[in-house]
């Protein structure tokens, strides 16, 4: 079975062989006198042997670019003097020079460019020697200029491709670094919010325990009720604690938590809708099924889905857009979907943003056992859909959050 890497190497080798054959054919047809002046069998065999050596060397240009250039340069320099035929290999040296400029360090690439100067001089001398005396000077300088420009263009093309690839690699590295930073920031934020939720649950447990202790001998009913609240709060706190540890575990980093008031939830979606409407986006809300209570972290995650999606609509589509927020309650899960029509005043700005917001959202949903899907809608617009569990998720359901969002981001 051929692996992906071996398949790529086979494809690259086939492309190199095809390029080498094409370059050798061009040299024989365009840069030799085979077609214009007959040659002896011995001279033709020697010239074709030089062409064959250059062809074979060029097929290995990716693995040994400098060595291949040296072999091709030698063949180009010796082909005419040794064979006795006006044979000036040009296409093969250009390909070898391009490869050195693409793959070698700058000093080596500059040295290869300088080495093509003697080849240009040799070609100019051969061309001028075949012309009448009155036209030799023009042929000499014209041919020399042609070859210098040709080799210079091949070298410049190789350096340009090299710099373009380096720039693309730098952009890809920077994008990965920014994505990792966005995920780490989101994990810290999640841990801080879950810390607040756990702290409030423990505070409720302490207050209920103190209340039960005061009425322990006088009101057994209130004691039982308080113990029930303590059990419920304890279970919720343990679930939130597991989620917080899941958020922190990948990097073993502790976030310094600060309690800064109650966390929002689905009950606060109306404020998000009002803010988007104030920005000129027409937002409708639709609820399907029977709403019920959610764990605090799940409730917060659902709120963040609506917040991120409406923020994207306001920022990237702009006033005049229509959006709909759907909350679909099922037996074991809640589906939150935000869909817009993409017909606002700023649809062209979508290409300027990144998918870091959706990466953070995916991280948050993975912690609470949910999933995220986002992408364009047929006919225009964008859809963000999150599926969240309404029951306590198992810790094993957490998934790696740094999966690439692909085409989901705006």
């Amino acid at each position: 079975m051929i692996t992906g890497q071996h398949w790529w190497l086979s494809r690259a080798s086939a492309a190199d062989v095809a390029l080498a054959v094409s370059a050798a054919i061009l040299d024989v047809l365009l840069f030799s006198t085979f077609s214009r002046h007959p040659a002896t069998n011995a001279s033709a065999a020697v010239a074709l042997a030089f062409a064959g050596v250059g062809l074979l060397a060029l097929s290995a240009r990716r693995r040994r670019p400098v060595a291949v250039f040296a072999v091709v340069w030698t063949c180009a320099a010796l082909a005419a003097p040794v064979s006795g035929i006006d044979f000036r290999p040009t296409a093969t040296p250009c390909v070898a020079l391009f490869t050195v400029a693409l793959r070698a360090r700058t000093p080596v690439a500059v040295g290869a460019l300088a080495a093509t100067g003697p080849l240009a001089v040799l070609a100019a001398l051969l061309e001028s020697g075949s012309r009448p005396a009155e036209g030799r000077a023009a042929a000499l300088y014209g041919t020399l200029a042609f070859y210098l420009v040709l080799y210079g263009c091949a070298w410049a093309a190789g350096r340009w491709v090299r710099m373009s690839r380096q720039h693309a690699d730098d952009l890809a590295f920077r994008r990965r670094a920014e994505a990792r930073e966005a995920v780490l920031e989101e994990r810290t934020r999640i841990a801080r919010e879950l810390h607040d939720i756990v702290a409030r649950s423990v505070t409720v447990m302490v207050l209920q325990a103190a209340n039960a202790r005061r009425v322990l001998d006088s009101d057994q009913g209130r004691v039982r009720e308080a113990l029930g609240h303590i059990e419920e709060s304890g279970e919720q706190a343990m679930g939130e604690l597991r989620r917080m540890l899941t958020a922190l575990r990948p990097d073993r980093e502790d976030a310094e938590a600060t309690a800064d008031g109650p966390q929002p939830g689905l009950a606060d979606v109306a404020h998000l809708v009002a803010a988007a409407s104030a920005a000129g986006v027409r937002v409708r809300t639709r609820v399907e099924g029977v709403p019920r209570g959610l764990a605090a972290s799940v409730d917060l995650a659902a709120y963040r889905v609506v917040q991120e999606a409406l923020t994207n609509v306001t920022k990237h589509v702009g006033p005049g857009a229509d959006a709909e927020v759907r909350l679909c309650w099922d037996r074991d899960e809640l589906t939150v979907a935000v869909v817009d029509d993409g017909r606002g005043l700023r649809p062209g700005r979508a290409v300027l943003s990144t998918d870091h917001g959706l990466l953070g959202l995916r991280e948050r949903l993975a912690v609470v056992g949910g999933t995220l899907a986002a992408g364009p809608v047929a006919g225009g617009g964008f859809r963000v859909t999150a599926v969240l569990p309404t029951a306590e998720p198992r810790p094993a359901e957490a998934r790696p959050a740094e999966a690439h969002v692909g085409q989901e981001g705006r």
Side-chain angles (χ1 to χ4, degrees):
M1 181 178 180
I2 300 178
T3 63
Q5 183 178 7
H6 292 165
W7 174 85
W8 183 87
L9 290 175
S10 300
R11 184 177 180 181
S13 299
D16 288 340
V17 170
L19 180 61
V21 171
S22 300
I25 292 175
L26 286 176
D27 283 339
V28 171
L29 295 180
L30 300 181
F31 299 100
S32 73
T33 58
F34 283 108
S35 59
R36 297 191 300 270
H37 304 288
T40 64
N41 291 336
S43 298
V46 172
L48 292 177
F50 277 110
V53 172
L55 185 155
L56 293 176
L58 205 60
S59 62
R61 65 186 183 93
R62 294 179 191 266
R63 297 186 293 275
R64 297 287 188 271
V66 178
V68 167
F69 177 80
V71 172
V72 171
W73 186 93
T74 302
C75 291
L78 298 179
V82 173
S83 67
I85 299 176
D86 186 4
F87 179 38
R88 292 166 274 167
T90 302
T92 48
C94 284
V95 175
L97 179 63
F98 171 87
T99 306
V100 171
L102 172 63
R103 295 182 172 269
R105 293 178 292 109
T106 300
V108 177
V110 172
L113 177 62
T116 59
L119 295 182
V121 173
L122 177 60
L125 291 174
L126 291 172
E127 182 64 27
S128 64
S130 65
R131 299 296 180 90
E134 63 274 10
R136 287 178 181 176
L140 176 67
Y141 294 117
T143 304
L144 180 61
F146 168 77
Y147 276 92
L148 290 177
V149 170
L150 182 63
Y151 289 135
C153 289
W155 185 87
R159 298 307 292 179
W160 180 81
V161 173
R162 178 185 177 89
M163 289 187 294
S164 298
R165 290 182 179 179
Q166 289 177 343
H167 180 64
D169 291 342
D170 291 342
L171 289 179
F173 176 80
R174 191 178 306 123
R175 185 176 180 84
R176 289 194 298 268
E178 291 174 353
R180 285 194 297 268
E181 182 179 355
V183 169
L184 290 176
E185 290 177 356
E186 187 66 16
R187 287 174 180 167
T188 302
R189 181 182 181 187
I190 293 170
R192 182 181 298 114
E193 292 170 347
L194 293 179
H195 171 275
D196 296 341
I197 293 172
V198 172
R200 285 197 295 275
S201 297
V202 173
T203 300
V204 171
M205 292 168 60
V206 172
L207 294 176
Q208 292 289 348
N211 182 52
R213 183 173 56 83
R214 285 195 299 268
V215 298
L216 180 61
D217 297 326
S218 60
D219 194 340
Q220 295 296 323
R222 290 182 62 185
V223 170
R224 284 192 296 270
E225 182 180 357
L227 291 177
H229 286 304
I230 291 173
E231 180 182 9
E232 181 181 353
S233 298
E235 291 176 351
Q236 182 180 7
M238 288 300 296
E240 306 296 357
L241 184 60
R242 283 197 299 269
R243 293 171 182 142
M244 181 168 62
L245 293 177
T246 300
L248 294 176
R249 187 177 299 119
D251 299 281
R252 299 292 194 269
E253 294 181 357
D254 292 328
E256 180 181 356
T258 56
D260 53 1
Q263 299 296 344
L266 288 179
D268 301 291
V269 166
H271 298 294
L272 299 176
V273 172
S277 299
V281 178
R282 295 181 292 272
V283 184
R284 302 181 304 277
T285 58
R286 187 172 72 184
V287 179
E288 300 176 358
V290 181
R292 52 189 178 278
L294 296 171
S297 59
V298 178
D299 196 24
L300 176 60
Y303 174 87
R304 295 300 185 200
V305 171
V306 179
Q307 182 184 44
E308 177 68 20
L310 289 182
T311 299
N312 281 345
V313 175
T314 303
K315 183 187 303 183
H316 304 308
V317 185
D322 285 317
E324 183 179 54
V325 178
R326 304 172 188 167
L327 302 178
C328 302
W329 296 86
D330 203 351
R331 186 170 61 91
D332 297 321
E333 62 186 23
L334 165 65
T335 301
V336 180
V338 180
V339 187
D340 68 80
D341 60 1
R343 298 177 183 175
L345 299 182
R346 293 191 298 269
R349 294 184 56 191
V351 296
L352 302 179
S353 65
T354 65
D355 56 6
H356 294 164
L358 291 176
L359 278 174
L361 200 57
R362 185 182 294 275
E363 170 77 10
R364 177 180 296 276
L365 294 179
V367 170
V368 300
T371 59
L372 175 70
V377 179
F382 202 80
R383 181 195 309 271
V384 177
T385 304
V387 179
L388 297 161
T390 56
E392 181 71 19
R394 296 185 300 273
E397 291 179 356
R399 293 171 294 282
E402 296 186 24
H404 185 58
V405 179
Q407 299 298 322
E408 296 173 1
R410 283 182 179 271

